[in-house]
Amino acid sequence: MTLRHFLRDDDLTHEEQTLILERATHLKSAPFENRALAGPEVVAVLFDKPTLRTQLSFSAAIAHLGGYPMVVDGNLAQVGVRETIADVARVLGRQAVAVVWRTYGQDRIEEMAEYAQVPVINALTDDFHPCQILADLQTIQENRGALPGQTLAYVGDGANNMAHSYLLGGTLAGMHVRIGTPQSHQPKPEILARAQELAAQHGGSVLVTDDPMEAVTGADAVATDTWVSMGQETEKAQRQGEASPFARFQVTSALMSHAAADALFLHCLPAYRGFEVSAEVIDGPQSVVFEESENRLHAQKAVLSWLVEQHRAEDRP
Ligand code: NVA
């Protein structure tokens, strides 16, 4: 057995994802039942990019599990600048039982995982946001039942972390994942290929289209995300301006009317009303965005406690 991490959605098997979602649902009704971090053990939580939900939900999750969150502002730590990622990893791994990191390149978190010798969790990178997808899957399951066979449509920037994580996490769950995005912002080919492979294994499918209506037609859940992800601030005028390539992809009531009549609307937040979504949709009856943000807590408690337990089991002779 090797040390397990959660760096991308498909670091879990289908069975493990199912189990973690079950654990998340259970912990939602019994918040203090799992004390995997009793001691309190320390979890290092580092942020190289802005945060609100993630800092809150990981801090609460770690506290509920009996542990202590050591939250580090990346501007102070300057991981990879002041010292190497490998050195930081080896320092953290000797005092923390897990590392949670929000950063830029996926290669950075992979390097952290290589050297930390404790489980590492991706709290968002440029390529993936797997904790958010667990929370979203939990939200869909709670509101619409078993995930396999359901259709999840994501409309907007098809090249960002949310699109990539929906592709992997959704197909791992056996869902039909559709991405509505302009030709100029297609998902990374290797991630798309991996999603197609997962879809074939678990009974789902993948569709990438530049027609937003085709993406959402009949969907059980419609999701979107900001057109300007963290790290893309210099492109803001181009991405949100009059000639935005995403203008046709705004989630409006008219677009939602093509989805299932009782389809859910999802958004990881922060949201920009009037850009990727109209106020009417995000503030309307189909929106479950605050359930999603609450489920970050439950889903992260589930994945964190599970990884720590796996690691302990592996350490035993
Ligand atoms: N795609 C967004 C997600 C924010 C939670 C970003 O990376 O900024």
Side-chain angles (χ1 to χ4, degrees):
M1 269 284 278
T2 51
L3 171 60
R4 300 290 300 273
H5 305 287
F6 190 45
L7 308 184
R8 43 187 278 164
D9 307 80
D10 60 342
D11 278 344
L12 301 176
T13 64
H14 171 80
E15 289 71 26
E16 288 167 350
Q17 186 195 54
T18 306
L19 199 123
I20 285 167
L21 289 172
E22 278 169 15
R23 182 181 284 219
T25 301
H26 178 72
L27 288 174
K28 192 167 182 171
S29 60
F32 303 106
E33 196 179 281
N34 188 306
R35 304 292 286 171
L37 302 179
E41 298 272 21
V42 172
V43 176
V45 188
L46 293 84
F47 293 100
D48 290 347
K49 288 178 175 174
T51 177
L52 174 80
R53 271 151 298 279
T54 303
Q55 181 170 349
L56 171 65
S57 55
F58 265 111
S59 300
I62 293 160
H64 288 195
L65 294 170
Y68 174 79
M70 187 201 66
V71 178
V72 182
D73 179 339
N75 290 323
L76 291 178
Q78 294 177 41
V79 181
V81 177
R82 199 165 155 255
E83 56 191 317
T84 65
I85 294 174
D87 282 357
V88 171
R90 288 180 288 220
V91 169
L92 295 178
R94 282 175 175 245
Q95 295 181 53
V97 291
V99 176
V100 175
W101 196 14
R102 165 167 289 185
T103 190
Y104 292 88
Q106 188 69 13
D107 56 327
R108 286 170 61 78
I109 202 160
E110 281 167 9
E111 193 174 341
M112 179 72 84
E114 193 181 332
Y115 292 98
Q117 298 195 347
V118 293
V120 176
I121 296 179
N122 180 347
L124 183 147
T125 55
D126 293 343
D127 280 352
F128 299 108
H129 196 3
C131 291
Q132 180 70 53
I133 269 50
L134 282 182
D136 288 13
L137 295 179
Q138 184 181 354
T139 309
I140 296 171
Q141 196 167 268
E142 283 169 355
N143 285 282
R144 295 188 69 91
L147 299 172
Q150 292 206 49
T151 298
L152 169 64
Y154 168 89
V155 183
D157 181 359
N160 79 4
N161 40 22
M162 287 300 295
H164 289 154
S165 274
Y166 278 130
L167 278 167
L168 297 190
T171 53
L172 187 67
M175 300 178 85
H176 303 291
V177 180
R178 300 190 198 147
I179 307 288
T181 190
Q183 289 295 345
S184 52
H185 292 77
Q186 297 288 297
K188 284 192 173 173
E190 64 274 21
I191 296 171
L192 187 58
R194 176 66 180 137
Q196 275 154 349
E197 191 178 86
L198 288 168
Q201 282 166 12
H202 302 296
S205 63
V206 177
L207 172 79
V208 181
T209 170
D210 65 359
D211 177 357
M213 216 185 292
E214 186 186 10
V216 306
T217 296
D220 297 285
V222 176
T224 187
D225 183 20
T226 179
W227 295 340
V228 190
S229 284
M230 292 178 277
Q232 298 174 337
E233 291 77 8
T234 56
E235 297 170 35
K236 187 170 173 183
Q238 181 253 326
R239 287 174 166 268
Q240 281 190 340
E242 298 255 300
S244 169
F246 306 116
R248 290 189 297 123
F249 296 85
Q250 184 185 93
V251 180
T252 58
S253 300
L255 188 63
M256 283 299 287
S257 72
H258 296 276
D262 52 353
L264 304 173
F265 172 74
L266 296 139
H267 192 311
C268 61
L269 306 177
Y272 302 92
R273 290 167 176 79
F275 292 99
E276 74 271 11
V277 61
S278 69
E280 201 182 11
V281 169
I282 193 167
D283 299 321
Q286 289 169 276
S287 175
V288 287
V289 300
F290 298 110
E291 286 178 50
E292 273 180 274
S293 75
E294 182 196 324
N295 283 340
R296 293 288 302 279
L297 165 65
H298 311 302
Q300 287 162 192
K301 272 166 85 171
V303 73
L304 174 60
S305 60
W306 184 82
L307 283 169
V308 168
E309 287 166 14
Q310 295 288 309
H311 189 209
R312 283 198 188 120
E314 179 193 319
D315 268 356
R316 259 179 237 128

